[in-house]
Amino acid sequence: MAHPPLLVFLGPTAVGKTDVSLLIAEELNAEIVSCDSVAVYRYMDIGSAKPTLEQRAKVPHHLLDIVYPDEPYNVAMYGQNAEKAISEIWQKGKVAMIVGGTSLYLSALLESFDLPIAPPNDELRRRLFEVSEQEGSEALHRKLREVDPIAAQRIHPHDVVRLVRALEVYGQTGKPISSFWHGAFETPKLNRYPNALVFGLICERGELFRRIEVRMHRLLEMGWLDEIHRLLEMGYSPELKSLKSLGYREFTQVVLGNWSLEKGQQEYLRHAKAFAKRQWYWFKKRPYVHWIDTTGKTTEQVADEVKRVAKICLLDS
């Protein structure tokens, strides 16, 4: 018996994936599998822009709040968890939808390249983050270039989290992380789910940057700084990988009193815009994505366009 469809919604941060996917999921009676490397953590609700409890009551979500902020979580674990969630949704006879912007998670799940399953090493990770703080991320990039020039070519010199992970994998396994990437950078194909319909939401760059700024102010008004303060009060260290994620690392400095709110906002916007560019660079290399331009369109208009493209694709298949 054929499975119900697998729909995927990807795109850069703040482009509007959540609202569009919720609208379509309600119509299709679908369940959503989150693909967000921050939304997996409990207590990190505002900064990760998780769907609200009301939204989750309407549309069941998977892979939100599955680990504590000090527990390890990586792309290999995500791949296993997401496959299981999709299978469970299909067993109910329902449509499964993947929604998110964590590019490595998406590619690992859809394209099924080999992944390094290396246990986390907190001490090594702490030392590497210290090097980044004291000498800059370029120092980590130079180290990576010595042991794994292929990975150094692929990972941006300012992408601290991925630089640390690449060096950690090398330290733990003795093998370069690129040796686990068989086929990952050939022309990408939907290997694991060849019949998935993948929609990419994009908008004009200036509009996207405006949306990023508007969302930042909205999340701050919702109490993002208070959320970070509670995390620190609970004993979670600002050196944790979870609290080094985009937005949390900048506004943690504000909560700690090291930066003014203005500086925190400036640094966040600078990093968020660079992150959005990196996401776009990754996504645009995926030939299987059906792109939908959301510039100047309402959520309803974008959803209608997705449905129109979906009908054409399903008729052609």
Side-chain angles (χ1 to χ4, degrees):
M1 190 175 76
H3 287 303
L6 175 65
L7 302 182
V8 182
F9 290 87
L10 55 80
T13 186
V15 77
K17 298 180 292 292
T18 298
D19 290 343
V20 171
S21 61
L22 282 167
L23 197 60
I24 291 174
E26 275 195 79
E27 283 192 33
L28 296 177
N29 189 28
E31 297 191 10
I32 289 176
V33 180
S34 169
C35 186
D36 187 305
S37 61
V38 183
V40 297
Y41 295 110
R42 294 185 177 103
Y43 315 130
M44 298 176 69
D45 302 331
I46 296 173
S48 65
K50 281 178 196 162
T52 64
L53 294 177
E54 185 183 6
Q55 289 169 328
R56 289 188 241 178
K58 289 180 182 175
V59 178
H61 280 67
H62 301 256
L63 306 193
L64 300 175
D65 305 319
I66 58 174
V67 289
Y68 290 98
D70 58 354
E71 289 184 303
Y73 198 79
N74 59 37
V75 63
M77 295 163 75
Y78 176 79
Q80 294 165 356
N81 293 159
E83 275 192 84
K84 184 170 181 281
I86 292 166
S87 177
E88 288 171 357
I89 295 167
W90 279 348
Q91 282 169 19
K92 299 176 197 173
K94 298 177 78 173
V95 174
M97 289 174 58
I98 310 291
V99 182
T102 301
S103 52
L104 190 61
Y105 282 17
L106 284 162
S107 294
L109 176 65
L110 300 174
E111 297 160 17
S112 64
F113 58 79
D114 292 343
L115 296 165
I117 302 177
N121 183 319
D122 291 336
E123 176 59 24
L124 173 57
R125 193 174 281 180
R126 185 187 62 74
R127 289 202 309 270
L128 291 167
F129 275 120
E130 276 182 6
V131 170
S132 174
E133 294 286 337
Q134 294 166 8
E135 303 175 37
S137 60
E138 292 84 358
L140 293 182
H141 197 257
R142 285 194 296 273
K143 285 178 182 287
L144 184 60
R145 210 159 50 226
E146 290 170 15
V147 298
D148 190 353
I150 295 172
Q153 216 175 2
R154 303 288 182 185
I155 299 174
H156 194 279
H158 296 158
D159 194 343
V160 178
V161 171
R162 289 207 171 92
L163 290 169
V164 166
R165 181 58 181 159
L167 289 167
E168 181 186 36
V169 167
Y170 182 78
Q172 291 291 85
T173 66
K175 297 179 184 176
I177 195 171
S178 61
S179 69
F180 296 93
W181 287 348
H182 305 306
F185 296 101
E186 297 168 5
T187 301
K189 294 175 186 167
L190 290 170
N191 294 319
R192 183 169 283 134
Y193 299 104
N195 296 322
L197 268 181
V198 184
F199 294 97
L201 304 188
I202 193 61
C203 66
E204 186 271 323
R205 182 174 286 189
E207 171 69 10
L208 180 64
F209 289 172
R210 188 189 67 78
R211 291 184 195 183
I212 289 171
E213 189 162 355
V214 166
R215 187 171 79 163
M216 176 193 73
H217 288 298
R218 179 169 56 83
L219 298 182
L220 287 170
E221 285 168 12
M222 288 170 65
W224 194 359
L225 297 181
D226 292 335
E227 177 176 87
I228 293 170
H229 185 72
R230 281 195 300 275
L231 285 162
L232 298 176
E233 276 195 329
M234 291 166 79
Y236 292 113
S237 165
E239 299 305 312
L240 289 170
K241 178 185 171 186
S242 55
L243 285 170
K244 291 278 190 183
S245 58
L246 177 64
Y248 283 94
R249 71 174 178 262
E250 291 84 7
F251 289 116
T252 293
Q253 294 303 312
V254 176
V255 172
L256 291 172
N258 298 331
W259 290 356
S260 66
L261 178 58
E262 185 182 11
K263 181 174 181 185
Q265 291 176 336
Q266 288 172 347
E267 289 298 302
Y268 169 74
L269 290 174
R270 185 166 68 85
H271 292 145
K273 289 171 184 178
F275 175 58
K277 288 177 189 173
R278 288 200 303 274
Q279 286 177 302
W280 171 238
Y281 177 76
W282 186 287
F283 294 141
K284 74 178 183 179
K285 292 188 171 182
R286 271 61 210 165
Y288 51 73
V289 178
H290 301 279
W291 288 104
I292 308 281
D293 189 348
T294 68
T295 308
K297 295 173 186 169
T298 65
T299 301
E300 289 76 15
Q301 287 171 327
V302 175
D304 285 343
E305 194 166 339
V306 167
K307 285 182 280 187
R308 182 179 59 76
V309 174
K311 280 179 188 170
I312 293 169
C313 293
L314 290 170
L315 285 171
D316 287 346
S317 61

